[in-house]
Amino acid sequence: MLPSVKVQVSRYQDCEIGHKGFILEPYVTSMQLSCNYTSAKTNKNVQKLPSLPVPKLTDTLGKYLLTVKPFLSDEEYARTTSLVRDFEKGTGQQLQLLLEKRAQEHLNWLEDWWLNTAYLEYRDPVVVYSSPGLVFPFRKFQTQNDQLKYAAKTLLAALSYKSLIDNDKIPVEMMGKNPLDMAQYKKVFGTCRLPFAKRDKLSFNNSKHVTVIHNNHIFHVDLWGDDGVMLDEEQIVQQLKKVMELSSVPNKQGIGILTSENRDAWAKAYELLCKDKTNSESLADVEKSIVVLCLDEAVNLWKYEDSNARRNLAGAQTIHGGGSQSNGGNPDGVTGLTYEHSPAEGQPIAVLTDFIIKYIEENKAPEVSSKSPKQPQLLKFNVSPEVNKMIEDAKKNLDKLVQNLQLNCFQYDKYGKNFIKSQKLSPDSYIQMAMQLAFYRLHNVPGAHYESAATRMYVGGRTETIRSCSIESIEFAKTMLNSQSSPKEKISALKSAINSHKNYTVQALQGFGVDRHLLGLKLSAIENGIEIPKLYSDPGFTRSAHMRISTSQVACKCDGFMCYGPLVADGYATCYNPRDNDINFATAAFVEHPDTDCNKYRSALEQSLQEMHDVLLKNVPSKL
Ligand code: COA
């Protein structure tokens, strides 16, 4: 079997033991932020960006009613409408005022709330449910030395990128004429998510070492020598070789697997571990490190001739490591990374991936070498019988989760963005509508559909939900699936659905979607002891927010892709990387749900993309 390498940035966990991010890249850096970083007005708005607006109540509710319509009968819709009108005239106004007050007191009224509700208070395991995997283009390693060289290059690339981040040299990204908030980049390295009961904490660190995991043994590896000079590639290879020598016998008590547990379970184990001084020092060492590098067992990627089968295997390795008997305690056999989602969206990680791949291809190397590298240190842990029992439970739970996750990662190679643009259509909206059609084709009911839109034009901006399921998307699906529809009708329905999606996207990017505003109103109620309005338990809300299709565009230039698990038990995840002439998809579903099947979803998606292409060409010849 060929050895392979995985770099994790914030993988498994969020940190703690062992999992921080990239698999191959190590390091974290500079963030002097405290755990309790906030967007309160006292904080600096370095880029002088505008604040996230609070949309007008009437505007949001009007939009909301449009998005719930596909999920309700006429009678239900009439009831929901009347509920919304009552809310608009009553409690809604009170909550709106509270939210506007909060917005005056914070640079970004949503930032802390979002961090807590979407991430730190979320109790499901970060594995599958929160931490995405990002698969790098495949590599073949012939020898262990190849693997270690690649790992060393990845670390150097990551350090080089970190240095650009630290020195504010990353070019400010733009959306049209608007600069985007670059703060997420500063949180990529060195961020550790610590488990606590009810709500985790983030720890931001800047150090000079990485954590390396091999065979479930955890090491501190300094990337700078005693002389303060960074190690060169060969010196890092030597460090990694030493790590492998010292850990040739697998550690059966690997505590890393605890990080794949439900957050409260991991918090309990973490608390117990920390009672012992040796453990708390070792955990602190991992917490401070720049990234975690996992040198995993090979998974025999190349036994598959079909490149999509390799994609599946690689995706699984970056999401969960394959379970307790594979690389679940210390992943993988493929190159890629896993990152802790709470401090940053996927896009900065995709940019970093392109940087690493280019760095490696260009074979860059530091010009100086340290004269006095330090030796890797094995981090010691005293595992009590109680913690040992927790490790055994974690293994079982992870194995169950792994068994339950069905992945289908593939490259759609018939066309990509270029064809869609040649039809004068938005590639993102087009792909989203292909998913709507695929879902309807399989299930014959509207699929509530989440897409992330970046709100980084605002200070501290994260995302807004694009509700991709619309009256128009359902009309489009029905028209496409109706054998009586003419090509003209199909094209017209397609364009109308795309326009509707694009229109929502533009509003979401400006912070004028439905979901974050409604969340803000609900949290205003909770914080002020006001009863949660009925609107939030109404079928219009619950059905339209039960996101059966959970999607993100994560675009990188290289042939990589990001993957993660579904949001709901009967849902699909779809992360996609649209490139000029192909689209990389990573889809996921839960095996135990009888209604979903990823393989069928993939076929339906491919069929939808093909039919949309063909119908367009019946009208306007492609220039391709
Ligand atoms: N005709 C021709 N070309 C068009 C077009 C049309 N009608 N509409 C759009 N295009 C072009 C665009 O100009 C753009 O060109 P470029 O490749 O030269 O830049 C390209 O097609 C892509 O545009 P489009 O597909 O419409 O949207 P997008 O790439 O801007 O993506 C979002 C839209 C919502 C995905 C994006 O704005 C966003 O928010 N991304 C971040 C999502 C995120 O947070 N993901 C991570 C979650 S963890």
Side-chain angles (χ1 to χ4, degrees):
M1 298 230 291
L2 300 169
S4 63
V5 177
K6 174 158 88 186
V7 177
Q8 255 174 297
V9 176
S10 20
R11 183 203 200 330
Y12 253 91
Q13 156 172 331
D14 350 77
C15 121
E16 330 0 58
I17 297 253
H19 294 266
K20 282 181 162 214
F22 274 116
I23 292 186
L24 270 194
E25 90 182 7
Y27 96 67
V28 173
T29 235
S30 87
M31 346 231 120
Q32 306 319 40
L33 304 170
S34 75
C35 293
N36 191 21
Y37 75 92
T38 73
S39 62
K41 284 242 154 148
T42 47
N43 281 12
K44 277 192 276 176
N45 177 4
V46 187
Q47 289 179 253
K48 308 230 174 328
L49 297 172
S51 287
L52 182 71
V54 178
K56 289 198 179 111
L57 187 60
T58 316
D59 290 352
T60 297
L61 294 176
K63 244 174 261 176
Y64 170 71
L65 279 175
L66 288 175
T67 66
V68 302
K69 202 153 196 301
F71 304 97
L72 300 173
S73 66
D74 289 348
E75 214 175 286
E76 287 170 329
Y77 186 68
R79 270 205 301 275
T80 296
T81 307
S82 132
L83 199 66
V84 165
R85 294 298 164 229
D86 290 348
F87 178 75
E88 189 175 359
K89 282 186 244 135
T91 328
Q93 296 213 7
Q94 183 190 3
L95 299 179
Q96 178 76 3
L97 287 176
L98 287 167
L99 190 56
E100 285 169 359
K101 182 163 176 287
R102 180 181 167 92
Q104 281 165 14
E105 292 160 358
H106 289 72
L107 278 178
N108 183 318
W109 59 263
L110 180 61
E111 190 179 9
D112 300 343
W113 271 349
W114 184 250
L115 180 67
N116 289 334
T117 55
Y119 299 105
L120 302 184
E121 291 169 3
Y122 185 71
R123 301 288 86 191
D124 278 337
V126 292
V127 176
V128 173
Y129 295 106
S130 180
S131 295
L134 202 157
V135 176
F136 289 0
F138 295 134
R139 286 280 182 292
K140 265 191 186 174
F141 302 125
Q142 303 298 340
T143 63
Q144 188 190 77
N145 206 49
D146 284 355
Q147 177 199 26
L148 297 185
K149 268 169 108 71
Y150 192 84
K153 282 181 204 293
T154 306
L155 286 176
L156 286 169
L159 290 179
S160 168
Y161 198 69
K162 177 180 183 297
S163 154
L164 293 176
I165 295 172
D166 291 350
N167 294 301
D168 294 319
K169 296 257 174 67
I170 305 280
V172 173
E173 290 163 9
M174 304 292 289
M175 190 174 69
K177 290 191 180 132
N178 300 306
L180 299 182
D181 188 336
M182 299 298 286
Q184 289 185 21
Y185 282 85
K186 297 246 176 196
K187 297 171 193 162
V188 168
F189 295 109
T191 300
C192 187
R193 174 167 163 182
L194 301 170
F196 284 92
K198 297 201 176 113
R199 183 192 289 173
D200 294 345
K201 289 182 184 163
L202 287 182
S203 158
F204 298 101
N205 307 276
N206 194 7
S207 65
K208 301 233 169 210
H209 71 277
V210 294
T211 301
V212 178
I213 306 185
H214 178 247
N215 268 340
N216 285 336
H217 295 280
I218 304 175
F219 291 85
H220 167 116
V221 175
D222 283 295
L223 292 181
W224 277 261
D226 276 327
D227 52 6
V229 178
M230 213 208 283
L231 272 51
D232 66 18
E233 183 182 316
E234 187 46 35
Q235 288 174 321
I236 297 177
V237 168
Q238 291 311 319
Q239 299 284 326
L240 299 179
K241 274 197 176 146
K242 186 86 195 154
V243 162
M244 291 187 101
E245 275 165 36
L246 293 171
S247 55
S248 56
V249 179
N251 176 6
K252 294 249 170 340
Q253 274 187 325
I255 64 162
I257 201 140
L258 290 167
T259 68
S260 67
E261 266 286 24
N262 164 283
R263 303 306 298 171
D264 285 334
W266 169 217
K268 185 98 206 302
Y270 182 75
E271 193 187 345
L272 282 173
L273 280 167
C274 284
K275 287 187 177 155
D276 177 286
K277 189 159 173 280
T278 303
N279 291 340
S280 66
E281 283 172 5
S282 295
L283 288 166
D285 197 278
V286 176
E287 176 185 334
K288 291 196 174 70
S289 67
I290 299 167
V291 291
V292 173
L293 170 71
C294 295
L295 298 170
D296 288 339
E297 288 304 305
V299 289
N300 212 357
L301 188 67
W302 299 96
K303 72 184 169 201
Y304 295 112
E305 295 215 341
D306 172 17
S307 83
N308 288 331
R310 295 199 289 267
R311 283 168 196 269
N312 275 354
L313 184 59
Q317 287 293 306
T318 56
I319 290 185
H320 52 55
S324 63
Q325 298 306 309
S326 181
N327 288 311
N330 170 16
D332 144 48
V334 174
T335 59
L337 63 89
T338 308
Y339 85 98
E340 163 49 37
H341 205 327
S342 52
E345 253 59 66
Q347 202 50 48
I349 310 296
V351 174
L352 169 63
T353 297
D354 276 332
F355 181 90
I356 292 175
I357 300 301
K358 192 154 174 262
Y359 184 101
I360 293 173
E361 274 166 8
E362 288 173 356
N363 210 8
K364 291 193 176 158
E367 282 158 15
V368 288
S369 326
S370 169
K371 299 272 177 297
S372 47
K374 301 178 203 169
Q375 286 298 303
Q377 295 157 37
L378 175 67
L379 298 180
K380 299 208 173 78
F381 291 94
N382 296 320
V383 177
S384 66
E386 199 176 350
V387 172
N388 201 31
K389 161 88 179 48
M390 290 169 157
I391 291 174
E392 292 309 313
D393 289 347
K395 284 182 189 168
K396 283 185 212 133
N397 290 337
L398 178 63
D399 289 346
K400 253 195 261 164
L401 190 55
V402 168
Q403 290 302 319
N404 194 17
L405 188 74
Q406 183 191 22
L407 282 175
N408 198 322
C409 306
F410 63 100
Q411 182 168 72
Y412 183 77
D413 59 5
K414 307 279 185 295
Y415 62 90
K417 281 194 294 185
N418 284 352
F419 164 73
I420 307 169
K421 286 187 196 174
S422 76
Q423 298 296 314
K424 306 214 171 351
L425 299 170
S426 149
D428 187 70
S429 298
Y430 179 101
I431 296 166
Q432 286 286 318
M433 291 308 102
M435 293 178 209
Q436 275 289 294
L437 175 54
F439 187 93
Y440 203 89
R441 187 190 296 280
L442 287 180
H443 299 285
N444 216 22
V445 290
H449 185 158
Y450 180 114
E451 183 190 359
S452 320
T455 49
R456 286 170 52 209
M457 61 183 276
Y458 301 113
V459 56
R462 297 288 304 256
T463 58
E464 171 61 278
T465 306
I466 302 168
R467 291 187 160 211
S468 293
C469 182
S470 62
I471 296 167
E472 293 82 0
S473 74
I474 298 305
E475 190 51 39
F476 156 63
K478 286 181 176 164
T479 309
M480 287 296 284
L481 296 170
N482 181 349
S483 57
Q484 307 300 309
S485 308
S486 68
K488 210 170 155 200
E489 285 165 335
K490 288 181 179 173
I491 290 171
S492 160
L494 170 60
K495 290 191 171 166
S496 162
I498 287 178
N499 287 340
S500 164
H501 181 270
K502 190 70 197 173
N503 183 28
Y504 200 109
T505 301
V506 170
Q507 295 180 61
L509 289 168
Q510 294 172 11
F512 296 112
V514 160
D515 290 82
R516 302 297 182 269
H517 188 195
L518 288 183
L519 175 69
L521 296 171
K522 183 178 171 188
L523 293 175
S524 298
I526 293 171
E527 281 206 356
N528 291 279
I530 299 167
E531 194 184 340
I532 297 178
K534 289 204 182 59
L535 179 139
Y536 293 93
S537 46
D538 174 63
F541 185 85
T542 52
R543 288 182 206 161
S544 67
H546 182 76
M547 297 297 181
R548 295 194 66 188
I549 322 171
S550 143
T551 69
S552 280
Q553 180 185 139
V554 178
C556 53
K557 292 192 180 68
C558 68
D559 185 12
F561 60 90
M562 188 170 269
C563 43
Y564 50 77
L567 265 185
V568 295
D570 57 347
Y572 301 97
T574 316
C575 196
Y576 54 104
N577 175 14
R579 305 196 308 158
D580 286 348
N581 297 308
D582 55 46
I583 309 168
N584 287 346
F585 285 103
T587 71
F590 289 118
V591 174
E592 69 190 15
H593 203 285
D595 291 354
T596 50
D597 179 335
C598 231
N599 298 335
K600 288 188 184 155
Y601 176 67
R602 169 191 169 171
S603 301
L605 188 53
E606 288 183 314
Q607 194 181 346
S608 301
L609 287 164
Q610 188 65 49
E611 288 175 6
M612 288 159 72
H613 171 272
D614 293 350
V615 79
L616 283 167
L617 287 195
K618 279 198 176 136
N619 199 34
V620 189
S622 168
K623 295 197 184 93
L624 297 180

